[in-house]
Amino acid sequence: MNSLLRTCQTPFRPAQREACTSERSLNGTRRIGWSIRSGVGRWRRLMVSATMGTESGLQKGIAEFYDESSGIWEDIWGDHMHHGFYDPNLLASVSDHRSAQIRMIEEALSFAGISEDLLKRPKSLVDVGCGIGGSSRYLARKFGAQCQGITLSPIQAQRAQALAASQGLADSVSFQVADALEQPFPDGQFDLVWSMESGEHMPDKTKFVSELARVAAPGATIILVTWCHRDLSPSEESLKPDEKKLLNKICDAYYLPAWCSTADYVKLLQSLSLQDIKAADWSEYVAPFWPAVIRSALTWKGFTSLFRTGWKTIKGALAMPLMMEGYNKNLIKFAIITCRKPE
């Protein structure tokens, strides 16, 4: 098991490290070519790669990205900073998108088998990568539970707390700036461990999953919804070069470390002896999401909001078609993985 855990830190297959990393020299620093002809574009890539070369640099980039972009997202899309869940057989209307984000939460709870029975429902929750607290407040209200949310973004934490207070939830929901890889909670504290689209930002998937399991109480459920790359076939050692190239571009835009597959997450959960492990590909149910985000960015309100923010947010907006390309090529998968901690 130890060898499995060591391998997955990068994550599983050594060749997969290439998905979001540059070649490294013997002393651990990145070797990045430079030429005068490459101009400003190459210099920008140099700076992004250098920043993402350390875990602290990656965390700083993530925090600044969400500090900068959360306001525009809330203004246009509301307080749920995640995909919606759609009926793939129906054309989604603009008014349906916010309700689709609520459906995503409900579908995840249903998939995990979370009971609404008064005696069985979760009483304490943690929202890992909480954004501005949309899921935290929804779950706390739904279950009458205590919920704690963590994020790397100080602006998100402040806004989440303000929204909780304005909605009368200040006594049941709290938020703080904290690292998901070193959560500030004791072992076995929470009945439900919730991570909605934050796993893709974690540079050490083994440590991430281990922390989710550590803070879960005996018998607690863990719900992990995250972006993954496609599972590799038995004959493949790594993704194809063009697939790695596309993921690299997305990594640079959204401050992502190496991707892994749904199968990799399942193996990690198995290595920790977690039970009732289930996984599904929900890519078809989120298909309308990125086209809708792009349409919202192309409105006058979207344009003016973007230019009031900064380069990180603009860079993220320019990368949105790359996410659509990844989904269309079946390279990017929207995965849900759930499990239960043994009692």
Side-chain angles (χ1 to χ4, degrees):
M1 187 177 81
N2 289 337
S3 61
L4 173 63
L5 294 178
R6 285 195 300 270
T7 303
C8 194
Q9 287 178 3
T10 55
F12 272 75
R13 297 172 180 84
Q16 287 179 237
R17 295 185 65 182
E18 299 171 20
C20 285
T21 58
S22 301
E23 186 179 6
R24 293 181 182 273
S25 62
L26 293 177
N27 65 4
T29 59
R30 296 183 187 273
R31 288 205 300 257
I32 304 174
W34 171 260
S35 68
I36 295 175
R37 290 176 302 174
S38 59
V40 175
R42 180 64 67 90
W43 173 248
R44 189 174 72 243
R45 288 194 294 273
L46 173 69
M47 296 305 295
V48 170
S49 296
T51 299
M52 295 179 66
T54 64
E55 186 172 312
S56 60
L58 176 62
Q59 290 178 343
K60 183 175 183 291
I62 294 168
E64 291 176 348
F65 176 76
Y66 285 108
D67 279 349
E68 188 179 281
S69 63
S70 293
I72 179 177
W73 181 272
E74 181 186 0
D75 189 35
I76 296 176
W77 276 75
D79 60 352
H80 291 281
M81 301 184 68
H82 57 78
H83 284 65
F85 189 99
Y86 302 86
D87 184 336
N89 298 313
L90 297 177
L91 181 65
S93 64
V94 174
S95 61
D96 186 50
H97 294 304
R98 293 194 184 190
S99 58
Q101 291 174 312
I102 299 298
R103 281 199 301 274
M104 175 61 71
I105 297 174
E106 289 292 342
E107 291 290 339
L109 293 171
S110 177
F111 183 84
I114 300 298
S115 175
E116 296 191 26
D117 184 276
L118 285 174
L119 298 178
K120 297 180 180 178
R121 63 173 56 180
K123 301 296 191 298
S124 59
L125 316 153
V126 62
D127 185 354
V128 181
C130 62
I132 56 173
S135 294
S136 302
R137 291 185 296 277
Y138 184 87
L139 294 170
R141 190 181 293 112
K142 178 180 179 67
F143 295 119
Q146 294 290 317
C147 184
Q148 298 191 54
I150 59 173
T151 173
L152 289 174
S153 165
I155 287 179
Q156 284 188 338
Q158 293 166 10
R159 181 59 180 157
Q161 200 65 58
L163 288 169
S166 69
Q167 296 172 19
L169 294 170
D171 292 336
S172 56
V173 185
S174 62
F175 302 93
Q176 61 182 298
V177 176
D179 183 359
L181 302 183
E182 296 182 9
Q183 296 184 38
F185 308 117
D187 296 356
Q189 181 167 342
F190 300 105
D191 301 326
L192 174 60
V193 177
W194 176 272
S195 175
M196 176 64 72
E197 296 187 55
S198 62
E200 54 269 20
H201 284 298
M202 306 301 167
D204 186 336
K205 302 297 192 289
T206 298
K207 196 172 183 182
F208 171 54
V209 172
S210 297
E211 276 292 275
L212 298 182
R214 182 186 67 78
V215 301
T221 298
I222 298 170
I223 299 179
L224 172 61
V225 182
T226 187
W227 310 354
C228 293
H229 67 59
R230 66 174 178 82
D231 289 340
L232 298 181
S233 69
S235 62
E236 289 181 304
E237 290 296 324
S238 68
L239 295 172
K240 300 172 183 176
D242 63 320
E243 292 176 323
K244 295 176 186 178
K245 184 177 180 180
L246 177 57
L247 290 185
N248 276 332
K249 294 178 181 178
I250 296 171
C251 287
D252 283 348
Y254 295 120
Y255 295 89
L256 305 179
W259 295 57
C260 68
S261 68
T262 306
D264 292 335
Y265 271 116
V266 169
K267 290 176 184 177
L268 268 179
L269 296 172
Q270 291 171 338
S271 75
L272 296 171
S273 300
L274 296 167
Q275 300 175 347
D276 301 331
I277 302 169
K278 297 194 302 179
D281 176 8
W282 279 2
S283 300
E284 66 172 319
Y285 300 110
V286 303
F289 177 77
W290 285 98
V293 175
I294 291 173
R295 286 196 298 273
S296 68
L298 294 177
T299 63
W300 176 250
K301 183 177 183 180
F303 273 125
T304 56
S305 297
L306 274 175
F307 283 106
R308 284 199 305 268
T309 56
W311 169 242
K312 289 182 174 64
T313 304
I314 295 171
K315 184 174 66 172
L318 293 174
M320 289 189 291
L322 299 177
M323 288 295 298
M324 287 185 60
E325 181 181 350
Y327 276 117
N328 291 336
K329 291 182 174 179
N330 290 317
L331 168 61
I332 296 176
K333 299 295 183 179
F334 189 89
I336 180 169
I337 307 110
T338 65
C339 62
R340 185 174 57 83
K341 188 171 181 177
E343 296 192 32

